[in-house]
Amino acid sequence: GESVGLHLPTLSVQEGDNSIINCAYSNSASDYFIWYKQESGKGPQFIIDIRSNMDKRQGQRVTVLLNKTVKHLSLQIAATQPGDSAVYFCAERGGSQGNLIFGKGTKLSVKP
Amino acid sequence: NAGVTQTPKFRVLKTGQSMTLLCAQDMNHEYMYWYRQDPGMGLRLIHYSVGEGTTAKGEVPDGYNVSRLKKQNFLLGLESAAPSQTSVYFCASSYLAGRQRDTQYFGPGTRLTVL
């Protein structure tokens, strides 16, 4: 079946360090992937996306890497700040109706 | 622009009661979605709409109904609430076609407790 999973449910990093959040997906036909950030008590907020014809995409302090060979997606956050503390979700478009399928999320905690 | 808004923010129901959650967006998006979020389960799609007057079932539609009478509004109804419907409900919207269709913008959520 289709699924999106995460290797680590929690991640704790020191302020200023780089963070890497991983995500595995099982549907090789998925053609679009998104990362969302969700702060406590708020709705998910779009961070960055990538299409399956790309391997890497960069935004401001964030980079998404896509490895289609092993069906792996990662989000890299440079110089992690306390404001980056949140739950991060990956999502793939691979459902039968073309809708997004969300992973369970990774909680990122930034230590000052 | 307010983006995506949801009403109410919190609600407590007794088993068997009914209620309607309202979602509104001012971005002229064609697609709208209702998700529920439970601990350890991520976001699961309940129902969605590809345009005014249309609705479709998502992953977990049972016990819910929806209506999209106006393009900017998407209503989620619970006819007879059950404790299993205790959750946080999120509405989202996206553009119709092309790449931007896939970027879903979320509302702040409604926390529902069914006793």
Side-chain angles (χ1 to χ4, degrees), chain B residues 46-90:
Chain B
I46 304 172
H47 286 281
Y48 65 101
S49 169
V50 302
E52 182 178 324
T54 72
T55 63
K57 294 180 179 179
E59 179 187 355
V60 288
D62 294 342
Y64 305 95
N65 57 75
V66 288
S67 63
R68 184 96 181 270
L69 299 179
K70 294 183 179 180
K71 184 177 182 179
Q72 64 268 34
N73 296 336
F74 195 28
L75 305 178
L76 177 71
L78 286 74
E79 292 185 347
S80 180
S84 61
Q85 293 178 304
T86 294
S87 188
V88 181
Y89 291 85
F90 288 100

Side-chain angles (χ1 to χ4, degrees), chain A residues 88-100:
Chain A
Y88 290 81
F89 293 94
C90 65
E92 64 176 313
R93 185 178 68 180
S96 59
Q97 299 165 321
N99 293 311
L100 294 177

Side-chain angles (χ1 to χ4, degrees), chain A residues 3-71:
Chain A
S3 66
V4 175
L6 294 168
H7 294 312
L8 296 173
T10 60
L11 178 65
S12 183
V13 300
Q14 202 72 35
E15 181 179 357
D17 288 351
N18 296 335
S19 302
I20 300 177
I21 300 172
N22 296 304
C23 179
Y25 64 94
S26 62
N27 188 349
S28 58
S30 292
D31 63 350
Y32 179 72
F33 304 87
I34 301 180
W35 281 100
Y36 283 92
K37 171 186 180 182
Q38 186 177 24
E39 296 174 282
S40 181
K42 297 183 178 180
Q45 178 184 7
F46 171 81
I47 302 174
I48 192 168
D49 58 3
I50 188 169
R51 295 202 172 274
S52 59
N53 60 354
M54 301 172 69
D55 298 320
K56 179 180 180 179
R57 189 153 187 254
Q58 288 184 295
Q60 187 175 10
R61 282 203 306 121
V62 295
T63 300
V64 56
L65 298 177
L66 177 63
N67 186 331
K68 294 181 287 295
T69 301
V70 295
K71 290 183 285 188

Side-chain angles (χ1 to χ4, degrees), chain B residues 7-103:
Chain B
T7 308
K9 288 184 170 52
F10 303 94
R11 185 71 185 270
V12 178
L13 291 178
K14 294 181 179 179
T15 297
Q17 287 185 317
S18 62
M19 77 161 295
T20 300
L21 281 66
L22 171 64
C23 176
Q25 52 93 6
D26 60 3
M27 297 175 282
N28 201 35
H29 287 175
E30 290 292 340
Y31 282 74
M32 297 187 74
Y33 313 81
W34 274 109
Y35 293 91
R36 61 177 290 172
Q37 185 176 42
D38 302 296
M41 297 293 291
L43 288 158
R44 292 185 291 170
L45 183 65
I46 304 172
H47 286 281
Y48 65 101
S49 169
V50 302
E52 182 178 324
T54 72
T55 63
K57 294 180 179 179
E59 179 187 355
V60 288
D62 294 342
Y64 305 95
N65 57 75
V66 288
S67 63
R68 184 96 181 270
L69 299 179
K70 294 183 179 180
K71 184 177 182 179
Q72 64 268 34
N73 296 336
F74 195 28
L75 305 178
L76 177 71
L78 286 74
E79 292 185 347
S80 180
S84 61
Q85 293 178 304
T86 294
S87 188
V88 181
Y89 291 85
F90 288 100
C91 176
S93 69
S94 63
Y95 288 106
L96 172 60
R99 175 174 174 273
Q100 289 179 316
R101 178 256 187 190
D102 302 301
T103 302

